[in-house]
Amino acid sequence: MGRSLRKSRNHKPVSIRKKIKKNRKPHTDDPKVTAKWDIKKTLRANYAALGLNPGDKEQALKPKEEEPDQPKIEPDLTIPKDKGPSVKFLAESELEVLCELMLVHGDDYKAMARDMKLNPFQLTKKQLKKRCEIFKARYEGTRYDPINKPYNQRLIQEHLTTSGKEEDAE
């Protein structure tokens, strides 16, 4: 397949030299850099003229040495070393599936992984364990919790009435 006639008529090739020269110009507002920058020199030569090393990121990030009579003020920043596990969100469909799986199997992740009816995403034992931990950390006690489902409320009421009768009998 060839190009359409309209596209080929409007195509004007751009010389490579113009592209190279355009890309060689520095993209900065610093007058020192623009004054010392020479388009005909290589990038490495321009960096050397500015006193920089193009491959050394640490040197570019380090502040230049200041005069010794000025005291250095270091900011007091405390960065936690161990961030711990980040609590992620689960999709609503995942929440419903996990809710049912936890209701039927409890903490038996191996049985959850083998249950094809209740585990339509075919999550592995490890994936289920990770998602259940997120569920317990973030969604326990919310409307997604299996205890708060309407069809489980009847079971909870029955359990409470039977436990109440047992206490009365004692």
Side-chain angles (χ1 to χ4, degrees):
M1 300 240 165
R3 286 177 66 104
S4 69
L5 186 60
R6 182 178 292 173
K7 285 183 182 178
S8 63
R9 261 191 257 145
N10 293 332
H11 176 70
K12 294 176 185 170
V14 179
S15 71
I16 295 172
R17 288 196 182 269
K18 283 185 182 178
K19 281 185 180 178
I20 291 172
K21 284 187 179 181
K22 185 189 289 184
N23 292 338
R24 282 185 164 180
K25 292 179 184 178
H27 299 286
T28 182
D29 295 331
D30 190 9
K32 293 178 183 177
V33 174
T34 52
K36 288 188 177 183
W37 197 270
D38 187 9
I39 295 174
K40 294 177 183 176
K41 288 184 180 177
T42 62
L43 177 74
R44 202 173 285 273
N46 279 316
Y47 271 39
L50 292 168
L52 298 171
N53 186 1
D56 194 11
K57 291 181 183 176
E58 292 176 8
Q59 182 183 2
L61 296 175
K62 288 181 185 176
K64 294 186 178 181
E65 297 287 331
E66 295 182 9
E67 297 177 17
D69 56 339
Q70 293 180 353
K72 286 188 176 181
I73 301 171
E74 294 184 20
D76 185 27
L77 299 175
T78 56
I79 300 170
K81 293 181 180 177
D82 184 29
K83 289 193 279 183
S86 62
V87 179
K88 299 187 179 188
F89 294 96
L90 297 172
E92 195 163 340
S93 57
E94 284 183 333
L95 288 169
E96 291 174 6
V97 168
L98 284 174
C99 173
E100 294 299 320
L101 284 168
M102 289 171 63
L103 184 65
V104 173
H105 299 289
D107 288 335
D108 189 8
Y109 302 113
K110 191 173 182 181
M112 286 184 194
R114 283 183 283 165
D115 192 345
M116 286 296 142
K117 285 186 178 179
L118 295 178
N119 186 6
F121 300 123
Q122 295 185 356
L123 299 171
T124 63
K125 178 181 167 183
K126 193 172 183 179
Q127 290 170 333
L128 285 165
K129 185 174 183 181
K130 202 178 272 187
R131 282 177 171 80
C132 285
E133 287 173 0
I134 293 170
F135 181 87
K136 288 175 184 173
R138 190 156 193 68
Y139 299 99
E140 200 164 38
T142 62
R143 65 185 179 111
Y144 297 109
D145 201 351
I147 293 173
N148 296 332
K149 296 288 181 183
Y151 50 84
N152 294 332
Q153 291 296 323
R154 183 177 44 84
L155 296 172
I156 293 169
Q157 290 298 327
E158 288 175 7
H159 179 71
L160 290 174
T161 55
T162 55
S163 64
K165 289 178 184 177
E166 290 173 4
E167 288 176 6
D168 292 339
E170 292 175 7

